[in-house]
Amino acid sequence: MNRIQTKLKEDKKLLSIYFTAGYPSINDTVSIIQNLEKNGVNMIEIGLPFSDPLADGPTIQASSTQALKNGMTTEVLFNQLKDIRKTVSIPLIIMGYFNPMLQYGVEAFCKKCQEIGIDGLIIPDLPVDVYHEEYQAIFEKYGLINVFLITPQTSVERINFIDSISNGFIYMVSSASTTGAQSGFGDEQTNYFERIDKMNLNNPQIIGFGISNNETFRQATQYAKGAIIGSAFVKHVSNKGVNNISDFVKSILN
Amino acid sequence: MKLKICGMKYQENIEQVAALQPDYLGFIFYEKSARHFDTVIPELSKSIKKTGVFVDADLEFVIKKINTHNLQAVQLHGNESPEYCEALRHAELDSASHKKDKNLKQFQIDEKLEIIKVFSIKNEFNFDVLKPYENVVDYFLFDTKGKLPGGNGYTFDWNVLNNYPSTKPFFLSGGIGIEQTLDIKKFKKSKASKYCYAIDVNSKFEIEPGLKNIELLKEFKNKLSNNKMNYNVNEKGYYGEFGGAFIPEMLYPNVEELRQNYLKIMAEPDFKKEFDQLLKDYVGRPSPLYFAKRLSEKYNTKIYLKREDLNHTGAHKINNTIGQILMAKRLGKTRIIAETGAGQHGVATATVCALMGLECIVYMGEIDIARQAPNVARMKMLGATVVPALSGSRTLKDATNEAIRDWINNPVNTHYIIGSAIGPHPYPDMVTRFQSVISEEIKWQLKEQEGRENPDYVVACIGGGSNAAGTYYHYLHEEDVNIIAVEAAGLGIDSGESAATSVLGKEGIIHGCKTLLMQTKDGQITEPYSISAGLDYPGVGPMHAHLSKTGRAQFMSITDSDAMAAGLELSKLEGIIPAIETSHALAIFEHKKFKPNDVVVVSLSGRGDKDLNTYIDYFKL
């Protein structure tokens, strides 16, 4: 069984953290991952930076631009991660846009992920139908779980389709926004969380976008299996560096 | 499968439809029909079978019509009996097609009158009724059972035909429209279609009863025929291997709403009417097709300029923004966003928003805002809010990213007016269609001036490629028309400062579509360069990527200096100061030799006012 599936079976709410690989410094990748695991984070999304991150707000855009300036590439990231499984055992997901993967070669990319011990991918601009028709077989061949997004505007029919294609979790975007947008959830969001919760989907949901502190983490995990924090964490390492990760994780979980 | 187009009424329209080469054209001889035909059928190509449609008419009446109009087929829509059909089959016919050769005892096979008997199907059908007709008719035709004999405008459940017991070929009819293309393709693969001989269409391709929509028919025909190379978008949103909709889930509902509605809305008569009216009265169309005499003399060939520079706001951009603002209104949107590089599309969008009283937000790279102050001022005067894009390289591609992010954050009330033939499907196709008025006009204008619709060459400059798409559109499948696409080489292809995407680009994904784009080996999108702000886009529309890959279009690249020289030359020879984008297209005459009798149409996509500062700096004027 894939590490993501095993983790989802644990009887607890999950905290997943996103960070941009190569930021703040090119060689921070491994130490960020190790620190996150050590401090009790359950799952990690390693952001492969892209020049034109359409679904991201200013924080992740800026970290991506800086990471690219620092020299981050797909090849560099794979090299940094080659021994990661000697020290880290929680699920690792690569999150990135489709073009860099396409240029690397989708199959070569998936193969490399399997060799390293990556468990899944999140590719916001690879639509579910294209994945289903062209790439699902390749992903499955290399034991990778692909995670799809749903939003408050996603129709019931489409949610059910996405649920049928998924075999890990569904990434529930909290509101119509890019990453790192708002503070706190209102009725509109909680109604949506509740509506999806009641659909009793086959795949558990993990909520992301707009989770930044203990309060929003608790709100989200009241309805979902877990929550993902991205921009708030990127801001934190940007201000405090990679050695104060425990402060951040504690502030979320306590 | 054959195609029958039924319910023809108007002379000119009949000729236009006949030009599409359908296999059958139907004329309804039934007074109660809104498509009743009571005039003369114009001379048609011999390959088209003229079909008379009758409803329980007297045999004499039918025979008279066959003889008068030289009909090759008769379609019986009422309760005509097998005996009636038999009698018709043996009737003495006197028309040119059917006149018996005195020396022959029977008709020659290909001159035989074809008899088509219609049966209407609701959700089930008793096929036993066909039996008595088996030996007296040539084809069956199945349409939808409704109030009227035919023309009810909806389809029946084609699965009923799974039980078709006969081997007689049949026509499939009843409410078939462009939206059934996929269903027809599926049907073709199913068992039920084994004896399906032809598709019969009528009301779903009409502007009003009897008046057929030529464009829609053309498209339907293209979509149904797989054997010819297709340069238009397919039903999945691809041009060959390029196109598609690579968008985050957050954008899916917006793009899907547009995809499901854009063709339907564009085909609505009052949409067309409003669009055409605004193009005429507000934009000032048709734009002239001007024979550039002195330029022609200099290059010893016949050069025509399609004067898009004379449009309101000074370029072709307005054709698209007018179309999209009408689309946005019909979709119930109240807020408009757009991206702009040099500011031309921003101004065109701000203009139509002012015209329609809609809120307008234009994203523009911070660097471009500084470079293009007059256009920023124009947009502000027109009531738009100009938002600087501060991310990435702070130019056009980043402005596009920001506009897309805005759309993600405002999914319900906002329409995004993309300015070029780029973006996720259906944008490239929609923008191309709105711009296709350019080649539509060239056709009749050239016919007036040269006596032929098709030039030997059509030429346009390409950034994203919207003016080019519009200039080529009606010529894409005309094999005698050569297509030339002109990209900006900047300081030279190998200089590292270029925007020649077809040469330097690789297949990848930019702004929601798969196309050719300039990128690093690692798949990061790079910043192109050209002296012309409208051509320095790192990608190219997916249609153009397809035209490049298939070799349908010849791609040329022109450097800054050659373009500037061509701009100055046109100013001095013809008294027209072109936009620097357009100057690239004009520069090809120094690089490519045309024959004296070649007719070369160049899209003069925009006027040079906006570029005056660049011209002044460059030529030290």
Side-chain angles (χ1 to χ4, degrees):
Chain A
M1 192 180 279
N2 183 298
R3 287 182 203 91
I4 296 171
Q5 290 163 333
T6 312
K7 184 59 77 182
L8 290 165
K9 289 219 157 47
E10 289 179 14
D11 185 22
K12 64 176 181 195
K13 300 297 182 181
L14 305 179
L15 171 62
S16 182
I17 295 281
Y18 167 96
F19 75 98
T20 305
Y23 180 84
S25 304
I26 180 97
N27 289 320
D28 287 336
T29 314
V30 172
S31 74
I32 289 177
I33 294 172
Q34 289 170 339
N35 263 310
L36 286 170
E37 180 174 46
K38 200 170 75 193
N39 286 290
V41 166
N42 308 112
M43 192 151 57
I44 296 172
E45 284 153 38
I46 305 161
L48 176 63
F50 182 49
S51 55
D52 296 74
L54 291 177
D56 286 299
T59 305
I60 293 178
Q61 283 170 41
S63 68
S64 302
T65 307
Q66 187 58 45
L68 292 172
K69 271 192 197 142
N70 292 346
M72 182 49 75
T73 65
T74 310
E75 201 64 64
V76 168
L77 179 63
F78 282 148
N79 273 328
Q80 290 176 346
L81 295 177
K82 71 179 192 303
D83 293 325
I84 197 72
R85 283 302 173 195
K86 288 184 179 157
T87 54
V88 174
S89 60
I90 58 173
L92 297 175
I93 294 172
I94 289 182
M95 180 164 185
Y97 291 81
F98 193 44
N99 197 47
M101 300 178 194
L102 202 57
Q103 301 313 318
Y104 195 89
V106 175
E107 176 139 18
F109 192 96
C110 291
K111 188 161 181 269
K112 198 81 192 175
C113 284
Q114 187 188 42
E115 280 168 26
I116 290 166
I118 297 294
D119 305 294
L121 295 171
I122 304 175
I123 312 163
D125 60 344
L126 175 62
V128 57
D129 44 338
V130 178
Y131 167 76
H132 184 50
E133 280 170 33
E134 294 181 39
Y135 300 111
Q136 187 168 358
I138 299 174
F139 278 52
E140 283 171 359
K141 181 175 167 194
Y142 296 101
L144 293 170
I145 282 176
N146 196 26
V147 177
F148 297 104
L149 277 56
I150 62 169
T151 80
Q153 273 73 39
T154 310
S155 68
V156 170
E157 194 188 9
R158 193 163 165 85
I159 292 173
N160 284 324
F161 175 58
I162 287 171
D163 191 36
S164 74
I165 303 289
S166 302
N167 57 352
F169 64 92
I170 291 175
Y171 192 135
M172 230 175 114
V173 176
S174 66
S175 54
S177 70
T178 44
T179 53
Q182 74 316 77
S183 52
F185 293 130
D187 286 350
E188 202 182 316
Q189 274 91 30
T190 50
N191 288 343
Y192 156 63
F193 297 164
E194 209 168 321
R195 173 167 67 85
I196 302 300
D197 191 26
K198 282 189 179 146
M199 285 181 75
N200 284 318
L201 299 172
N202 295 323
N203 293 273
Q205 302 93 57
I206 297 189
I207 298 178
F209 288 45
I211 318 258
S212 58
N213 52 27
N214 175 268
E215 191 198 343
T216 41
F217 179 73
R218 272 193 297 112
Q219 275 182 309
T221 51
Q222 205 179 320
Y223 303 95
K225 180 67 186 168
I228 302 166
I229 299 180
S231 298
F233 179 74
V234 172
K235 254 183 224 159
H236 180 86
V237 293
S238 162
N239 296 333
K240 303 273 169 67
V242 296
N243 296 319
N244 291 298
I245 286 175
S246 67
D247 295 352
F248 183 82
V249 178
K250 268 182 208 146
S251 77
I252 305 295
L253 293 177
N254 295 331
Chain B
M1 227 175 263
K2 307 275 184 195
L3 177 65
K4 171 168 173 278
I5 300 171
C6 202
M8 302 308 305
K9 196 165 163 74
Y10 303 103
Q11 298 290 310
E12 203 187 321
N13 197 234
I14 293 169
E15 286 173 357
Q16 290 169 327
V17 172
L20 302 177
Q21 293 291 330
D23 304 284
Y24 292 81
L25 273 186
F27 301 87
I28 299 174
F29 298 100
Y30 178 56
E31 278 195 359
K32 288 182 193 157
S33 169
R35 300 169 186 83
H36 175 60
F37 185 79
D38 52 9
T39 53
V40 181
I41 303 175
E43 186 75 32
L44 299 179
S45 147
K46 285 209 165 60
S47 64
I48 302 172
K49 288 180 178 155
K50 288 174 281 183
T51 308
V53 180
F54 302 89
V55 183
D56 293 319
D58 287 337
L59 213 49
E60 284 80 356
F61 177 78
V62 176
I63 291 166
K64 202 177 135 215
K65 291 295 179 194
I66 295 170
N67 290 335
T68 314
H69 297 285
N70 191 18
L71 301 176
Q72 284 90 31
V74 161
Q75 180 178 325
L76 304 170
H77 237 287
N79 296 309
E80 294 85 357
S81 65
E83 292 73 20
Y84 179 103
C85 299
E86 174 105 35
L88 185 58
R89 171 165 270 202
H90 296 292
E92 275 289 340
L93 299 175
D94 196 30
S95 70
S97 285
H98 304 288
K99 199 184 272 183
K100 267 191 208 173
D101 187 325
K102 291 265 157 47
N103 301 319
L104 291 170
K105 282 277 177 273
Q106 60 195 90
F107 300 122
Q108 290 180 7
I109 293 298
D110 58 347
E111 289 176 354
K112 200 185 79 172
L113 179 76
E114 295 182 357
I115 301 180
I116 306 162
K117 179 71 188 92
V118 179
F119 296 91
S120 300
I121 298 182
K122 206 162 185 182
N123 291 321
E124 47 193 53
F125 184 69
N126 179 5
F127 286 99
D128 289 348
V129 303
L130 303 179
K131 242 193 187 132
Y133 293 91
E134 280 282 354
N135 296 320
V136 290
V137 304
D138 301 282
Y139 304 101
F140 295 129
L141 182 150
F142 298 109
D143 79 346
T144 313
K145 200 180 190 100
K147 275 191 215 131
L148 309 166
N152 290 291
Y154 47 89
T155 57
F156 64 92
D157 180 3
W158 298 341
N159 287 322
V160 171
L161 296 167
N162 276 322
N163 301 321
Y164 185 61
S166 167
T167 55
K168 194 168 276 300
F170 64 84
F171 288 65
L172 183 68
S173 182
I176 294 173
I178 191 100
E179 61 272 33
Q180 267 83 41
T181 314
L182 259 186
D183 292 344
I184 292 171
K185 285 190 175 168
K186 271 186 216 150
F187 176 73
K188 273 184 178 173
K189 286 187 193 140
S190 77
K191 173 176 151 263
S193 72
K194 188 166 177 198
Y195 296 104
C196 184
Y197 168 72
I199 301 283
D200 181 30
V201 300
N202 187 348
S203 65
K204 285 294 178 71
F205 292 90
E206 289 185 333
I207 295 157
E208 59 176 74
L211 186 64
K212 302 296 187 252
N213 184 331
I214 306 298
E215 283 317 308
L216 210 56
L217 278 170
K218 200 182 279 177
E219 191 184 329
F220 183 66
K221 206 164 171 270
N222 280 342
K223 282 185 170 172
L224 283 187
S225 71
N226 296 322
N227 34 14
K228 228 174 119 186
M229 177 59 94
N230 180 26
Y231 300 105
N232 288 329
V233 77
N234 69 19
E235 65 271 16
K236 285 187 156 176
Y238 283 84
Y239 300 85
E241 62 200 87
F242 302 107
F246 292 82
I247 46 168
E249 190 60 30
M250 292 81 104
L251 282 178
Y252 180 81
N254 310 29
V255 173
E256 182 63 10
E257 179 187 32
L258 195 60
R259 190 187 69 81
Q260 286 191 359
N261 290 293
Y262 82 111
L263 286 179
K264 228 186 291 172
I265 290 175
M266 285 176 77
E268 281 169 12
D270 60 295
F271 178 92
K272 257 197 87 52
K273 196 174 154 205
E274 198 176 354
F275 181 58
D276 292 347
Q277 193 78 36
L278 282 170
L279 287 187
K280 176 170 170 280
D281 299 335
Y282 188 72
V283 176
R285 300 203 74 93
S287 68
L289 182 70
Y290 166 69
F291 175 65
K293 188 159 169 283
R294 296 188 65 205
L295 194 67
S296 298
E297 274 164 11
K298 163 139 195 212
Y299 291 105
N300 193 24
T301 189
K302 291 163 104 173
I303 303 171
Y304 283 86
L305 304 175
K306 180 60 176 162
R307 300 289 308 273
E308 293 301 300
D309 60 319
L310 294 178
N311 291 340
H312 179 42
T313 71
H316 68 287
K317 293 282 185 192
I318 191 94
N319 303 328
N320 170 45
T321 58
I322 292 270
Q324 285 206 46
I325 199 95
L326 296 178
M327 181 70 60
K329 283 191 78 169
R330 276 160 178 80
L331 291 171
K333 308 293 177 181
T334 54
R335 183 175 172 272
I336 299 295
I337 55 172
E339 85 293 339
T340 197
Q344 290 306 102
H345 174 58
V347 168
T349 304
T351 300
V352 296
C353 285
L355 181 69
M356 295 292 164
L358 293 183
E359 185 187 358
C360 180
I361 295 107
V362 179
Y363 289 89
M364 188 168 183
E366 196 183 28
I367 291 177
D368 290 331
I369 287 182
R371 289 195 289 207
Q372 308 285 342
N375 272 344
V376 176
R378 279 187 190 104
M379 287 185 266
K380 286 183 178 165
M381 276 190 78
L382 293 161
T385 307
V386 181
V387 181
L390 306 172
S391 61
S393 51
R394 293 171 293 149
T395 57
L396 175 60
K397 87 178 169 72
D398 309 284
T400 309
N401 293 339
E402 287 304 327
I404 292 174
R405 287 179 189 123
D406 179 308
W407 211 19
I408 288 175
N409 283 284
N410 298 282
V412 180
N413 66 342
T414 299
H415 176 73
Y416 176 19
I417 300 191
I418 295 183
S420 195
I422 55 159
H425 177 66
Y427 274 102
D429 186 46
M430 180 171 69
V431 173
T432 299
R433 283 163 190 268
F434 287 138
Q435 292 293 1
S436 71
V437 63
I438 300 173
S439 48
E440 191 184 314
E441 289 173 4
I442 295 173
K443 279 201 144 184
W444 63 258
Q445 288 172 321
L446 200 62
K447 175 104 185 170
E448 278 180 8
Q449 299 186 54
E450 283 286 329
R452 54 169 160 140
E453 288 186 341
N454 291 2
D456 299 292
Y457 294 88
V458 282
V459 183
C461 62
I462 291 200
S466 68
N467 102 81
T471 305
Y472 306 157
Y473 187 77
H474 290 280
Y475 293 120
L476 287 171
H477 298 97
E478 304 284 332
E479 281 160 19
D480 55 330
V481 181
N482 298 292
I483 294 174
I484 297 178
V486 187
E487 292 180 319
L491 301 182
I493 295 281
D494 302 319
S495 67
E497 299 288 332
S498 179
T501 313
S502 73
V503 185
L504 301 168
K506 243 195 93 196
E507 186 183 322
I509 288 161
I510 182 170
H511 297 139
C513 75
K514 190 182 271 185
T515 187
L516 295 172
L517 63 128
M518 293 169 61
Q519 51 185 320
T520 65
K521 192 175 134 276
D522 204 40
Q524 308 297 340
I525 299 171
T526 55
E527 193 60 23
Y529 164 80
S530 161
I531 194 167
S532 141
L535 299 183
D536 63 354
Y537 181 68
V540 63
M543 181 178 104
H544 300 302
H546 184 50
L547 295 180
S548 166
K549 182 112 185 194
T550 56
R552 174 66 184 98
Q554 179 191 357
F555 277 67
M556 296 177 72
S557 25
I558 293 295
T559 58
D560 285 1
S561 53
D562 286 355
M564 294 305 275
L568 191 62
E569 180 178 76
L570 188 76
S571 308
K572 300 223 149 120
L573 283 180
E574 297 288 348
I576 298 169
I577 301 176
I580 298 175
E581 291 80 8
T582 313
S583 300
H584 285 75
L586 295 163
I588 66 160
F589 294 105
E590 283 291 342
H591 295 271
K592 185 175 169 73
K593 191 110 190 74
F594 294 92
K595 292 194 216 88
N597 281 327
D598 280 345
V599 171
V600 185
V601 175
V602 182
S603 167
L604 201 80
S605 54
R607 71 175 81 127
D609 309 26
K610 69 177 178 69
D611 294 319
L612 218 49
N613 274 332
T614 314
Y615 279 126
I616 289 169
D617 289 349
Y618 191 87
F619 291 114
K620 309 274 180 276
L621 298 168

